[in-house]
Amino acid sequence: MDLFIDKLISEQPYKIILSNKTNKDNEFNKIIITSKIIKGISMYQIEKFTGTQAFHININSTELENVLYQYIPNDYKQLNGFSNNFEFNLKVTKKGKFLTNIKKNTAVELTNNTSAHNKEKNYILKEGTLIQPLIDLGVFTKEGKIVRTMYDKYKQINKFIEIVEDALKDYKSDTIRIIDFGCGKSYLTFIMYYYLVELKHMNVHITGLDLKEKVIDKCNSIAKKYNYKNLTFKLGNINSYKHPTDVDMVVTLHACDTATDYALYNAICWNAKIILSVPCCQHEINNTMKANTATLLTRYGIIKERTAALMTDAIRANLLEYMGYKTSVLEFIDIEHSPKNILLRGVKKGSISDKKKQQLLKEIKVITKEFNINPTLLKLLHL
């Protein structure tokens, strides 16, 4: 086993999976260890999985060997490791014998081809550029290279920036004022600021809003660290927030349940030119809906939940159209790989015909009547 572990460590593995626990009372079913670049330092992140939760610990790369000896064979009987060149497999038999196998990593060619394919694409945030938020996020190394295990996240971030760019294609001013409701840790907010200031050369003012004081304090300190002068974060509630100046763009990523409705309502009232919203946790309709005839859609829990979420966002999209926004419903996967992957994009186009408004409202009323629901945004708009 010693030679196996030595070889594994020397190859600088990017992923190690520990499974097949030795004791059924062991709280954690498996452990996944992945290489990370955290604040420019090469580290490993340990993820411990129970049946319902995951716990994370970061360790220095020099601690990896001790961690492996701690878990194998005391807690787990199987190890699968992956480096750029090799795949490592270890099993502990019932008699305590170690069966090891090291073979050429057949996934390397595919990974390298993927890497080359990614580099060929005309991504907005290009590899080789020192983008501090991407470095701190662990997507880029301190030299501006994409971390091997972070290509998916790199693509997702670029997808978001592409959506922003497309929404701005008809925007006429060089100045833009943005509100980010429920900003959280604000990774995408920092990246959006970088894109608009450094690449689009716009005069940008972004205000991030969240209910967590510690999060707000940390985001403000990071903005100061990056010298992002017109990026500020404030403590506040989406429902009652009042902005002192005009708002050109409203972003709301994963505002929970009806918080999305209040964010959309504020954006509409401010006559914001652009709205980008990724709804989350659409519980309101699911908790109250009762079908008159389409009972099949409410009979099974998971079907009812997904139907409720899709109806909620379909109604929101129609209401944005009703209020004069050209609305698109796009597939979007956020920086944390969320399954909540629908993004509503509204671009203000002015008033629409009464006939079109009647059609949009009729479509909503058919749904609300059939399922006996009264969504928050519909109530806020008094329709």
Side-chain angles (χ1 to χ4, degrees), residues 49-232:
F49 294 87
T50 67
T52 57
Q53 291 179 296
F55 300 87
H56 302 83
I57 303 171
N58 294 328
I59 62 170
N60 294 324
S61 55
T62 55
E63 299 176 89
L64 179 60
E65 182 177 354
N66 290 335
V67 167
L68 294 179
Y69 277 111
Q70 174 188 339
Y71 290 122
I72 299 286
N74 298 324
D75 297 314
Y76 299 93
K77 294 184 286 186
Q78 183 169 333
L79 179 153
N80 301 99
F82 306 89
S83 72
N84 286 335
N85 299 312
F86 296 99
E87 181 178 331
F88 297 81
N89 300 291
L90 179 150
K91 289 185 179 181
V92 184
T93 68
K94 292 181 179 179
K95 294 182 179 181
K97 183 180 179 180
F98 295 101
L99 302 179
T100 61
N101 176 261
I102 302 174
K103 61 182 181 180
K104 190 71 175 177
N105 190 347
T106 56
V108 170
E109 184 177 354
L110 176 61
T111 303
N112 288 338
N113 288 340
T114 302
S115 174
H117 181 61
N118 284 333
K119 292 177 183 178
E120 289 170 3
K121 288 186 178 180
N122 189 26
Y123 286 120
I124 296 172
L125 304 177
K126 298 184 182 300
E127 183 179 15
T129 308
L130 296 181
I131 304 174
Q132 195 61 46
L134 290 182
I135 295 173
D136 288 350
L137 186 57
V139 176
F140 279 4
T141 67
K142 59 184 178 181
E143 294 81 23
K145 300 294 184 181
I146 303 170
V147 175
R148 185 186 185 283
T149 57
M150 302 294 279
Y151 274 113
D152 285 344
K153 189 169 289 187
Y154 171 68
K155 290 187 288 185
Q156 290 161 11
I157 292 169
N158 272 283
K159 175 70 176 291
F160 174 72
I161 295 301
E162 288 170 7
I163 291 171
V164 173
E165 182 176 60
D166 189 58
L168 287 170
K169 64 184 179 182
D170 294 324
Y171 188 77
K172 304 300 183 184
S173 176
D174 291 332
T175 298
I176 188 165
R177 297 175 180 84
I178 302 172
I179 298 293
D180 184 356
F181 280 127
C183 59
K185 295 180 181 179
S186 303
Y187 293 129
L188 288 179
T189 315
F190 289 115
I191 292 165
M192 180 169 60
Y193 185 94
Y194 168 87
Y195 160 71
L196 293 172
V197 173
E198 299 295 333
L199 301 185
K200 297 289 286 185
H201 307 294
M202 298 181 72
N203 179 22
V204 178
H205 300 264
I206 300 181
T207 301
L209 190 72
D210 202 273
L211 292 171
K212 301 180 182 70
E213 187 172 0
K214 289 184 179 180
V215 168
I216 293 300
D217 291 342
K218 184 175 182 179
C219 288
N220 276 320
S221 66
I222 294 173
K224 185 176 180 180
K225 169 189 170 183
Y226 294 162
N227 197 30
Y228 288 177
K229 296 179 181 179
N230 292 325
L231 175 58
T232 58

Side-chain angles (χ1 to χ4, degrees), residues 314-373:
I315 290 170
R316 287 166 172 164
N318 255 32
L319 288 173
L320 288 176
E321 289 274 2
Y322 182 93
M323 299 307 297
Y325 288 86
K326 181 180 179 182
T327 306
S328 303
V329 180
L330 309 172
E331 186 176 51
F332 173 72
I333 304 174
D334 81 345
I335 200 166
E336 298 297 334
H337 307 281
S338 171
K340 308 296 184 180
N341 67 338
I342 283 180
L343 183 143
L344 305 179
R345 180 181 65 197
V347 178
K348 189 71 173 179
K349 293 297 182 182
S351 60
I352 62 175
S353 69
D354 288 340
K355 182 179 180 180
K356 179 66 173 177
K357 292 179 75 170
Q358 289 173 9
Q359 177 188 344
L360 292 165
L361 195 56
K362 181 180 178 180
E363 291 171 347
I364 294 171
K365 295 297 185 181
V366 167
I367 294 295
T368 57
K369 182 178 180 181
E370 167 59 28
F371 291 94
N372 297 283
I373 55 177

